[in-house]
Amino acid sequence: MPIRKRDLLRRIEALEARLAQPTPQPLEGQQTIPVATIGHHAYEGPGACQAEDFGKMCGKHRDEHQILEETP
């Protein structure tokens, strides 16, 4: 069943309003856990990565583009 344009717009606006709400404060006793971050660009193959970043070729292996560990 197709959705009407005004219903779609209403849903999008409702989602945007929810996303605009501030993040709630952590609960008492709740702790944050460091999580690895996603790499800054997608792998461009085949072979060594062909992505260019500020004039430099990446050249890293495909597996090195999955997750980068956070450094303190």
Side-chain angles (χ1 to χ4, degrees):
M1 179 164 116
I3 188 168
R4 293 181 297 187
K5 184 177 179 179
R6 66 175 160 230
D7 291 336
L8 179 60
L9 292 174
R10 193 175 310 137
R11 287 182 182 186
I12 291 171
E13 289 170 355
L15 285 172
E16 288 174 341
R18 287 184 67 190
L19 291 172
Q21 297 295 317
T23 304
Q25 293 296 320
L27 301 173
E28 187 176 327
Q30 188 176 18
Q31 298 178 358
T32 60
I33 301 170
V35 179
T37 56
I38 303 297
H40 68 282
H41 69 266
Y43 167 74
E44 296 178 20
C49 181
Q50 303 296 311
E52 190 174 318
D53 190 22
F54 299 107
K56 290 180 144 183
M57 219 32 126
C58 175
K60 292 183 180 178
H61 188 271
R62 177 187 59 197
D63 292 342
E64 294 181 60
H65 289 79
Q66 300 298 320
I67 292 180
L68 301 174
E69 293 297 324
E70 287 184 352
T71 55

